[in-house]
Amino acid sequence: MDSKIMEALSFMKELDAEYGDIRLKDIFTESIKIENGQVTDLSTNRSRGMGIRVYADGAMGFAATSDLDDMDSIKNTVRLAYDTAVASSMLIRSKTTLAPKDVVTANYSTQIKSDPFSVPFEEKIELLMNCSTIMSKEEGVSYCEATLDFRKEEVIFADIEGSYITQTFYNSGGGIEAIARASSDTDTQTRSYGNILKAGYEAILELNLPKHAEIIAKEAVALSKAKDCPSGEFDLILMPTQMHLQIHESIGHPTELDRVLGSEAAFAGASFLSPDDATSNLKYGSEHVTIVADATDAMGDRGLGTFAYDDEGVPAQNITLIEKGIFKNFQSSRDNASVVNQNSHGMGLSDGWENLPIVRMTNINMQPGGFTLDNLISGIEYGFLLEENKSWSIDDKRINFQFACEIAREIENGKLTGRIFKNPIYTGRTTEFWGNCDGVCNQEHRQMVGTPNCGKGQPMQIMRVGHASQPARFRKVRLIANG
């Protein structure tokens, strides 16, 4: 394949391209699902192809092919990308300048202890069947589900500047879910547990799904009999299983520079931020809020947004987005970083080989504070601890949001009472909400949560990102009644 890539790059030069790069991706996935004790999905899939990007006269053209055996087909794809760039150059309002990067030759692979694809199907199915059996034994559970998800991605990046980078990534994930409904109520309640990390099969063993199967089944049944969470203004503690989506939607997306510049506005919404905000000392949250975009995995969290180089050949970086409440940086790629006179932050990523790299989150993490969970709880006279996202909504500017969680645990006089409520829904405004954060737990309580289904772009690209966080306390948050 190396010789074909080199020949395609030489052809770009013959066409007098300003710049060109090639991304070859070979992606293998495996999925297993068991519903109510029955195997309903046992599938593998492979996607292999080449995406080719060419710049001519300040305009970009892109084309892709899955025919990697025929050199003529590859050259025709290069020609199509080049011709598209030339045609686009006649229509664009302003020429694109790519932010500079170094020429690199490198190799990288996810460090794993156990190859998930070498573990027999029988062992994986036995694990999920065991979970299903445990959950179904709980009286009141009407539906239970257990899943495993594995992905191996081999990537080659090469460009006409001389970079040649190979990377291999592994993702391993698993989850369980129990649904219950009280006999006198039509309202169903769900409890779930699981995670997905950039790791090998060891990540599945660490989850200890059978142990948690009994817990979530019992809690699903208990929720089906519980009262609705009260409405009003309360102090809340969000656990990492909810914090990850709060970070994702109200910090991750609005700090993507393409949204700020307006190129995402037609589809997935824009941002309340402006290009000048990185230097305006904008107050995004309280002094307890420090958020980084860390593709280097500096803290060993094994987040899905970990890599050595992005899909533009830019090295992984650890960028501070918010420092003690003050906004500092955007997430950027080569084409939009130059608009604000910066270098790319290494966030040009693509879903598969057939799509363009666009600005995507890496691991958007909340840095640890100095509190224990007991500290946070003891500081609440009356409020709730919320776990596990159930649904979400946020406006196109990423200002007003609403989140529903699976469970609310009551806090009274600085202690958990043991009482639970169903259907907790909280709402707020982004900077006001983060400004009301008055405590974040320490490293001991840190958890990385994988988000494998972040959608963005036209055509839609589904990316896998990560969010590490600790439990955090927020004052005076509005809870609203279900329905």
Side-chain angles (χ1 to χ4, degrees):
M1 200 66 236
D2 291 356
S3 61
K4 291 179 180 178
I5 290 173
M6 292 301 120
E7 188 172 345
L9 292 172
S10 295
F11 185 50
M12 289 182 191
K13 294 178 181 178
E14 291 175 18
L15 295 172
D16 201 27
E18 289 178 353
Y19 172 80
D21 59 34
I22 292 172
R23 289 174 297 105
L24 189 152
K25 293 196 174 188
D26 190 353
I27 302 171
F28 187 77
T29 60
E30 176 184 297
S31 299
I32 305 173
K33 179 188 284 188
I34 290 177
E35 298 176 272
N36 293 333
Q38 300 295 316
V39 178
T40 57
D41 182 24
L42 183 58
S43 60
T44 60
N45 184 62
R46 186 185 186 190
S47 176
R48 183 172 182 260
M50 179 184 290
I52 296 172
R53 186 172 65 161
V54 175
Y55 280 80
D57 196 20
M60 185 270 294
F62 177 79
T65 180
S66 60
D67 186 356
L68 305 183
D69 297 324
D70 183 1
M71 193 63 223
D72 287 339
S73 174
I74 294 174
K75 282 189 172 182
N76 287 339
T77 307
V78 172
R79 168 67 76 174
L80 176 58
Y82 177 77
D83 289 346
T84 302
V86 171
S88 297
S89 70
M90 302 175 187
L91 301 173
I92 58 174
R93 294 180 180 179
S94 59
K95 295 182 179 181
T96 298
T97 300
L98 295 177
K101 69 173 183 64
D102 292 334
V103 174
V104 174
T105 300
N107 179 63
Y108 170 84
S109 182
T110 303
Q111 296 301 302
I112 63 172
K113 296 178 181 178
S114 176
D115 185 344
F117 296 98
S118 68
V119 178
F121 273 116
E122 293 79 7
E123 182 177 332
K124 296 169 182 172
I125 292 173
E126 182 181 3
L127 170 66
L128 297 184
M129 281 292 191
N130 186 21
C131 293
S132 182
T133 299
I134 292 170
M135 290 185 287
S136 63
K137 283 181 178 179
E138 187 67 30
E139 185 177 353
V141 170
S142 57
Y143 172 86
C144 58
E145 175 183 300
T147 60
L148 291 175
D149 176 276
F150 304 103
R151 177 183 174 111
K152 180 181 180 182
E153 183 173 350
E154 295 180 302
V155 183
I156 299 175
F157 172 88
D159 64 23
I160 63 174
E161 295 174 343
S163 288
Y164 196 93
I165 302 165
T166 61
Q167 300 184 91
T168 301
F169 307 115
Y170 288 88
N171 294 179
S172 295
I176 51 177
E177 178 181 284
I179 297 177
R181 182 177 65 192
S183 57
S184 59
D185 197 348
T186 58
D187 179 33
T188 60
Q189 292 298 310
T190 301
R191 282 295 282 136
S192 57
Y193 169 80
N195 204 0
I196 181 167
L197 297 173
K198 222 152 202 174
Y201 195 74
E202 63 273 7
I204 303 303
L205 300 179
E206 292 166 9
L207 284 172
N208 200 346
L209 295 174
K211 173 186 174 182
H212 289 273
E214 182 176 3
I215 296 171
I216 70 162
K218 289 182 180 298
E219 288 192 343
V221 173
L223 279 174
S224 71
K225 302 172 183 178
K227 293 182 178 180
D228 276 309
C229 194
S231 60
E233 198 173 75
F234 299 96
D235 296 337
L236 301 181
I237 294 173
L238 301 187
M239 299 300 285
T241 54
Q242 172 58 28
M243 279 292 295
H244 81 283
L245 197 64
Q246 183 70 58
I247 293 169
H248 184 97
E249 298 296 345
S250 65
I251 293 179
H253 278 311
T255 60
E256 295 166 337
L257 186 53
D258 55 350
R259 290 183 187 271
V260 174
L261 296 174
S263 57
E264 268 291 301
F267 178 62
S271 171
F272 67 91
L273 296 171
S274 72
D276 296 330
D277 282 335
T279 57
S280 67
N281 289 322
L282 173 74
K283 184 173 171 52
Y284 208 110
S286 75
E287 62 181 10
H288 298 277
V289 179
T290 294
I291 306 289
V292 300
D294 180 16
T296 70
D297 194 22
M299 297 183 73
D301 295 312
R302 299 180 295 173
L304 295 180
T306 304
F307 50 80
Y309 294 87
D310 73 358
D311 285 331
E312 298 186 300
V314 178
Q317 297 167 52
N318 186 355
I319 301 297
T320 299
L321 302 178
I322 300 170
E323 184 175 23
K324 294 183 178 181
I326 304 301
F327 179 67
K328 294 294 184 181
N329 281 298
F330 295 109
Q331 301 173 69
S332 63
S333 59
R334 291 188 72 191
D335 60 338
N336 48 59
S338 61
V339 177
V340 292
N341 298 314
Q342 294 180 354
N343 289 332
S344 170
H345 286 153
M347 295 159 181
L349 300 167
S350 64
D351 168 24
W353 50 269
E354 65 270 49
N355 290 314
L356 274 168
I358 57 177
V359 177
R360 301 311 300 261
M361 288 181 244
T362 54
N363 299 311
I364 312 301
N365 303 334
M366 188 174 200
Q367 298 300 81
F371 291 79
T372 66
L373 183 56
D374 285 343
N375 292 154
L376 296 187
I377 293 170
S378 66
I380 295 179
E381 184 175 343
Y382 190 82
F384 300 94
L385 182 150
L386 305 187
E387 296 178 41
E388 203 71 47
N389 184 261
K390 194 172 184 178
S391 66
W392 60 272
S393 175
I394 193 165
D395 68 31
D396 285 349
K397 289 287 189 177
R398 304 276 155 175
I399 298 174
N400 300 288
F401 62 78
Q402 178 177 301
F403 289 95
C405 298
E406 288 183 1
I407 188 169
R409 303 186 190 276
E410 185 182 54
I411 302 171
E412 189 171 15
N413 297 323
K415 294 182 179 180
L416 287 167
T417 66
R419 191 180 180 197
I420 63 173
F421 292 87
K422 65 183 179 181
N423 302 323
I425 303 171
Y426 70 95
T427 184
R429 292 173 61 85
T430 293
T431 55
E432 179 182 333
F433 176 81
W434 288 107
N436 287 338
C437 177
D438 78 334
V440 177
C441 280
N442 57 32
Q443 172 73 23
E444 180 184 351
H445 300 276
R446 187 175 179 86
Q447 181 182 352
M448 169 61 75
V449 179
T451 302
N453 54 359
C454 175
K456 182 181 175 183
Q458 292 177 286
M460 173 71 79
Q461 297 191 42
I462 304 298
M463 289 295 293
R464 298 182 166 208
V465 304
H467 303 290
S469 67
Q470 302 71 218
R473 185 173 62 200
F474 298 86
R475 300 294 189 179
K476 299 180 179 180
V477 182
R478 181 70 181 172
L479 287 177
I480 60 175
N482 179 39

